[in-house]
Amino acid sequence: MDQSTLTGGYIFDIQGFSVHDGPGCRTLIFLKGCPLRCLWCSNPEGIRPFPEPLYKETKCLFDLYCLQACPYKTIKLTGGKETPRLEFDRDKCAHCNTYDCVKACLTGALGQGGYFISLPELYSRIERDRQYWGVNGGITLTGGEPFAQPEFTTGILKMCYEAFIHTAVETCGDIPWNHIEPSLPWLDWIFFDLKHMDETAHKLLTSSSNRTILENARRLAVSFKGRLVFRMPLVPGRNDSDENIRATAEFILSCGFKELNILPVHHLGREKYLLTGQTYMLQDLEMNAREQLLAIKDRFIELGVSCYPGSETPF
Ligand code: SF4
Ligand code: SF4
């Protein structure tokens, strides 16, 4: 496949039958690439913008078939005889379309972390699911950050919208406005993340300022005609103080919005950090108990925000 002649983008997963990311039953499409580095990210394989190998060391025999197969010589054996390790230069893998290493591995120690898909291919995959959605269902683009691939995102949203498919996007919001705006006519629904209202605390949680995010939310209040539901991942002790809850509620209401879905963070993505050569920083974090989640929900409601905990949403 000559990707240069095709319009498309990089994704790392497609999941059918989701009932938590928009109305009805939905097909989720996970796009590669995200500008944030959230400490709790449960899809670390979505952070880098291009394909990369996923490496499960516990399945590795160190027979080095992958090393010999790689045309770019990006795999190195380190650690000596006693503690052998494979290291991947993932920046070089970004230019690889073949995954020869994965094909050469006989044990399943290597897998594909993302692949290119053309718009027509993706659309026909979506069409296959359509019969299972029911009346309210559709697609939700998530990731990674869908607006990090703006032409791809606009393209697939437009194709779906024109075919009367309900369209939703989940965004971190830290994206230039001119990457978001072209998609708005083809969007029914936006989930928009708010992680912390204080800029310094936001940087500590995500490695990025919240200025662009807040500015984009204000712009969407004026420009977006569909339904926008904010989402707030609750990180115990980091963003669940009453001060931040109050500031978040005030911001939502000041934009003219009123809906918020609070999501307890979890450790489910922890194993995937190893597969992608990254370090998970929150292993010692205790998760919020259900009572705490419900107390935070009640506090938001008291402050005038329609707050839905976890998957207990009215859509
Ligand atoms: S993904 Fe491609 S470049 Fe990277 S190790 Fe595998 S074959 Fe080599
Ligand atoms: S081919 Fe598979 S089992 Fe062999 S060294 Fe590479 S990752 Fe390990």
Side-chain angles (χ1 to χ4, degrees), residues 24 31 39 89 98 116 164 173 191 207 228 237 277 292 299 307 313:
L31 280 77
L39 295 177
D89 182 339
T98 61
F116 180 88
F164 305 104
F191 288 110
S207 302
L228 186 144
Q292 290 166 307
R299 182 70 177 124
C307 184
T313 58

Side-chain angles (χ1 to χ4, degrees), residues 81-307:
K81 267 192 182 160
E82 298 303 312
T83 51
R85 280 192 55 79
L86 291 189
E87 279 177 18
F88 298 80
D89 182 339
R90 289 165 194 271
D91 291 333
K92 284 191 188 162
C93 292
H95 305 288
C96 174
N97 300 323
T98 61
Y99 279 120
D100 287 341
C101 59
V102 179
K103 291 173 200 153
C105 179
L106 303 176
T107 69
L110 285 173
Q112 294 191 9
Y115 56 95
F116 180 88
I117 191 164
S118 72
L119 282 176
E121 273 179 292
L122 179 56
Y123 183 74
S124 62
R125 171 64 184 77
I126 289 168
E127 271 288 346
R128 286 215 309 268
D129 280 7
R130 194 172 189 164
Q131 59 187 309
Y132 305 112
W133 294 333
V135 281
N136 298 324
I139 60 154
T140 300
L141 304 187
T142 181
E145 165 53 52
F147 293 123
Q149 298 186 63
E151 281 125 32
F152 180 44
T153 287
T154 304
I156 198 62
L157 290 174
K158 184 170 186 290
M159 287 172 93
C160 291
Y161 191 91
E162 288 179 340
F164 305 104
I165 292 172
H166 186 275
T167 55
V169 155
E170 179 170 27
T171 178
C172 73
D174 194 17
I175 285 289
W177 177 248
N178 63 1
H179 288 194
I180 298 174
E181 195 177 24
S183 285
L184 298 184
W186 321 112
L187 258 176
D188 294 302
W189 189 294
I190 296 177
F191 288 110
F192 192 100
D193 289 358
L194 287 179
K195 281 142 186 166
H196 209 299
M197 296 308 297
D198 177 80
E199 188 180 4
T200 306
H202 194 277
K203 276 187 189 161
L204 287 172
L205 285 175
T206 70
S207 302
S208 186
S209 158
N210 59 4
R211 284 192 200 181
T212 303
I213 296 169
L214 302 183
E215 183 55 31
N216 283 337
R218 289 190 198 100
R219 286 178 146 166
L220 286 169
V222 177
S223 309
F224 181 52
K225 305 296 175 224
R227 185 164 169 185
L228 186 144
V229 177
F230 286 103
R231 273 187 158 167
M232 182 178 178
L234 287 175
V235 194
R238 313 280 178 108
N239 68 353
D240 57 355
S241 68
D242 196 61
E243 187 187 4
N244 190 47
I245 289 170
R246 256 187 299 111
T248 304
E250 276 167 23
F251 177 76
I252 291 171
L253 298 173
S254 74
C255 292
F257 293 115
K258 62 179 174 50
E259 291 183 287
L260 174 70
N261 186 195
I262 51 173
L263 300 166
V265 298
H266 52 71
H267 292 308
L268 297 178
R270 184 171 32 194
E271 301 306 321
K272 294 193 281 186
Y273 282 77
L274 291 175
L275 302 183
T276 51
Q278 300 176 74
T279 308
Y280 184 56
M281 306 297 284
L282 292 186
Q283 45 252 2
D284 299 325
L285 189 76
E286 271 199 34
M287 298 294 124
N288 273 317
R290 180 160 169 76
E291 299 72 48
Q292 290 166 307
L293 189 68
L294 294 180
I296 291 169
K297 177 200 87 167
D298 290 344
R299 182 70 177 124
F300 271 116
I301 290 174
E302 196 179 288
L303 293 164
V305 172
S306 302
C307 184

